[in-house]
Amino acid sequence: MALSMDYGLVQDQRMKLVMTPELRQAIQVLQLSTVDLIQYIQDQAIENPVLEIEDPARMAEADPVESASVDQLADWGAFMRKGGTFSGASFTHDEEEGNPVDRIADSALSLSEVLEEQLRYFSIDSRIYQICRYIIGNLDEDGYLRFNGEQLCKRFNIPESDFSRSLQVVQGLDPAGVGARDLSECLILQLRRQGDLSPLLCHIVSDHLQDLAEGKLKRVAQTLNCTPLEVQEAADRIRKLNPKPGLACHGESPRYIFPDVTVRKMQGEWEVWVNEGYMPRLGISTQYERMLRENNESAHQAAAYIRERIQSAMWLLKSIEQRRNTLYRVSQVIMEVQQDFFEYGVSCLKPLTLREVAEELELHESTVSRATQHKYIQTPRGLFPFRFFFPSGVSNQSGGNTSARSVKNRIQQLIQGEDKGKPLSDQVIADRLREAGIRISRRTVAKYREEMGIISSQARRRFDL
């Protein structure tokens, strides 16, 4: 039978998600942290002339205006009649305290700026001064000099003696250790500055740093014909040095964290607050409402633009309110599941997944993921990122799960209480955890130990006990 092709009209009904500008903005606002949201609101206020950021001091002097509800935001006319103001904050600033951002000091000077400032006080000729500046400009962020000195001498046609003298000047600047070409030289510069560079220390730093890091103190002692105790004392001095001296001076602006949610215990009950005290108080200009009511020609020409800008402002206000509501609901579930953590600490942290929270709130898992991204919770036990409360689990003998963080806490407690002369191996730690009802392998213990930055049992052994 031959196939035939023909034209025709066919109705096909399909369901698909359309990413409207309103939905796209709501998703973007939801995943922003408090600091990023403040910046986003300020950018939107610049782009949208209808949207205004109210001065907290002026609003404190003015009569309080009832905040618009989410339902009222759908009707911008009703919203305007209520005064055109919106406050996502549950409390206002303290006028005497002001905004804490205003009290933040300027960022620190960069490493090159600190070194060049010291270099100006040296009595050296202009040639050496320029070579020193070139060396300073080529230091990496750790304070190391990574290029070859011979290539520098050939490129600028300078004798090696001038380069050596210039490098010596740079290595004499603070912080101690800058200008070094490798880790051994960096440590030797610091020991020499402290006046503590013995022949034993010099040999260990120059030739045996790898063995020292692996805890092979007996091998180092046999090679250098000394006792393990002497190597142990040398290792203690070396560990007090800074392997990256350049990081002491940086020019990057620090990133300050504002907690998005606070969990407190009030009158015996744990409660959740969404922190919006430092959020800008938004309002819609009443000037544009008056322009819409005017009957002149200019008002009619601008009416479509004004309505579009007001609608855009409504979307932003609803997105902020929806973000606040989602954060509160997610935080409420976390607080209920992890209540034992708030009461007793990390050892009582329970395994939790984004899917479980999404099913509890009847939300999509991606929505919960965006709501917990780059956000922090202030608790009586400290400031934690949201993802801290979603630990993986390790099975126990009772058939349940124990969070990986609580297992790490138990491992850390066992290591802190061990005999430093005979530290616990990973297998012994695994056996003790199994005795406590936690099923865990030696490899998992080693993995958790490395994640916590704890060295092996061989490297933890002390010879001075």
Side-chain angles (χ1 to χ4, degrees), residues 65-124:
V65 181
E66 182 182 355
S67 299
S69 63
V70 177
D71 296 334
Q72 290 171 329
L73 292 178
D75 182 4
W76 65 267
F79 178 75
M80 297 292 289
R81 289 192 295 272
K82 280 192 172 287
T85 57
F86 170 80
S87 171
S90 57
F91 53 91
T92 60
H93 293 287
D94 188 341
E95 296 181 17
E96 296 182 357
E97 292 182 358
N99 195 326
V101 179
D102 297 335
R103 302 193 296 272
I104 295 174
D106 293 336
S107 59
L109 297 176
S110 64
L111 176 63
S112 60
E113 291 172 336
V114 171
L115 297 179
E116 288 184 5
E117 181 66 24
Q118 300 176 55
L119 190 64
R120 294 189 184 99
Y121 296 96
F122 279 70
S123 298
I124 53 179

Side-chain angles (χ1 to χ4, degrees), residues 410-421:
R410 287 175 176 263
I411 293 175
Q412 189 174 19
Q413 291 177 354
L414 288 174
I415 293 176
Q416 288 176 350
E418 69 184 359
D419 181 3
K420 302 304 179 182

Side-chain angles (χ1 to χ4, degrees), residues 345-391:
V346 180
S347 59
C348 297
L349 196 64
K350 299 179 180 178
L352 184 64
T353 63
L354 298 175
R355 182 182 297 275
E356 293 173 352
V357 176
E359 292 175 353
E360 176 71 20
L361 300 177
E362 297 182 354
L363 297 173
H364 196 274
E365 186 175 349
S366 62
T367 302
V368 179
S369 176
R370 292 188 181 96
T372 57
Q373 186 178 11
H374 307 305
K375 298 180 180 65
Y376 293 81
I377 299 181
Q378 181 68 56
T379 72
R381 297 191 174 273
L383 181 66
F384 299 93
F386 264 78
R387 296 302 175 91
F388 173 84
F389 298 97
F390 293 89

Side-chain angles (χ1 to χ4, degrees), residues 72-293:
Q72 290 171 329
L73 292 178
D75 182 4
W76 65 267
F79 178 75
M80 297 292 289
R81 289 192 295 272
K82 280 192 172 287
T85 57
F86 170 80
S87 171
S90 57
F91 53 91
T92 60
H93 293 287
D94 188 341
E95 296 181 17
E96 296 182 357
E97 292 182 358
N99 195 326
V101 179
D102 297 335
R103 302 193 296 272
I104 295 174
D106 293 336
S107 59
L109 297 176
S110 64
L111 176 63
S112 60
E113 291 172 336
V114 171
L115 297 179
E116 288 184 5
E117 181 66 24
Q118 300 176 55
L119 190 64
R120 294 189 184 99
Y121 296 96
F122 279 70
S123 298
I124 53 179
D125 57 62
S126 59
R127 183 182 182 87
I128 301 298
Y129 180 80
Q130 293 301 328
I131 299 175
C132 289
R133 288 194 61 190
Y134 184 84
I135 293 175
I136 291 173
N138 284 273
L139 298 178
D140 61 13
E141 62 180 7
D142 296 334
Y144 287 88
L145 183 64
R146 302 295 185 183
F147 67 81
N148 192 334
E150 295 180 359
Q151 296 177 357
L152 173 66
C153 295
K154 292 180 180 179
R155 178 179 179 183
F156 295 100
N157 193 22
I158 60 176
E160 293 186 5
S161 60
D162 285 353
F163 171 75
S164 300
R165 182 184 173 191
S166 302
L167 181 59
Q168 186 177 4
V169 171
V170 174
Q171 291 178 348
L173 302 176
D174 289 327
V178 294
R181 287 158 289 189
D182 54 40
L183 177 59
S184 296
E185 186 178 15
C186 177
L187 300 178
I188 288 175
L189 288 173
Q190 296 180 54
L191 290 169
R192 184 178 292 127
R193 186 79 64 88
Q194 297 173 3
D196 194 22
L197 186 58
S198 63
L200 178 62
L201 276 171
C202 186
H203 284 299
I204 292 176
V205 171
S206 301
D207 305 320
H208 300 283
L209 281 181
Q210 185 62 36
D211 290 337
L212 203 67
E214 295 175 358
K216 300 176 181 179
L217 304 186
K218 288 186 176 180
R219 176 187 296 183
V220 177
Q222 292 174 357
T223 304
L224 299 179
N225 194 22
C226 61
T227 64
L229 179 58
E230 291 176 324
V231 178
Q232 179 76 70
E233 293 174 349
D236 292 340
R237 293 195 189 99
I238 294 173
R239 289 192 179 99
K240 295 178 181 179
L241 303 178
N242 186 2
K244 298 180 179 180
L247 295 183
C249 305
H250 61 86
E252 297 181 359
S253 299
R255 181 177 177 83
Y256 294 93
I257 296 176
F258 289 94
D260 300 88
V261 176
T262 298
V263 176
R264 299 177 184 172
K265 192 171 187 179
M266 302 292 292
Q267 299 180 354
E269 298 291 335
W270 290 98
E271 298 182 0
V272 173
W273 285 274
V274 178
N275 296 334
E276 294 178 312
Y278 296 108
M279 291 287 293
R281 299 174 66 89
L282 301 179
I284 297 181
S285 175
T286 56
Q287 175 184 355
Y288 292 93
E289 180 189 17
R290 293 193 298 268
M291 291 181 62
L292 289 178
R293 294 178 180 177

